[in-house]
Amino acid sequence: MPMASGATEVFEREFLSLRGKLLEVAAALDRIARAEGSVAADPRMAQVRQSLEFLAGADGRQDRVERIQLIFSLPYDPNWRN
């Protein structure tokens, strides 16, 4: 059975990928900001903002993936089969 990795080891392994993904997000937001028009009223942009705000304040949390997924999910509809 493999031994659990320490936080430093996991961070070292994930750092470049994490950095790249953050740069991708920043680049996409820059492209949107430079484009003509506005997406300020688009509910998807609100989801992006809400996700970024959550991540900025979620230091130490272990439910980040679940919370972000819920931000982008539709509320449960008990009548979805109808």
Side-chain angles (χ1 to χ4, degrees), residues 65-77:
V65 173
E66 178 182 0
R67 293 289 301 270
I68 297 298
Q69 181 63 44
L70 288 172
I71 289 170
F72 286 98
S73 297
L74 295 172
Y76 178 72
D77 179 2

Side-chain angles (χ1 to χ4, degrees), residues 2-31:
M3 295 195 51
S5 298
T8 300
E9 183 181 340
V10 173
F11 183 66
E12 287 291 330
R13 186 176 61 235
E14 298 289 333
F15 177 74
L16 290 177
S17 175
L18 179 61
R19 176 183 172 268
K21 291 172 185 175
L22 290 169
L23 288 168
E24 283 184 50
V25 170
L29 293 173
D30 284 351
R31 286 190 296 274

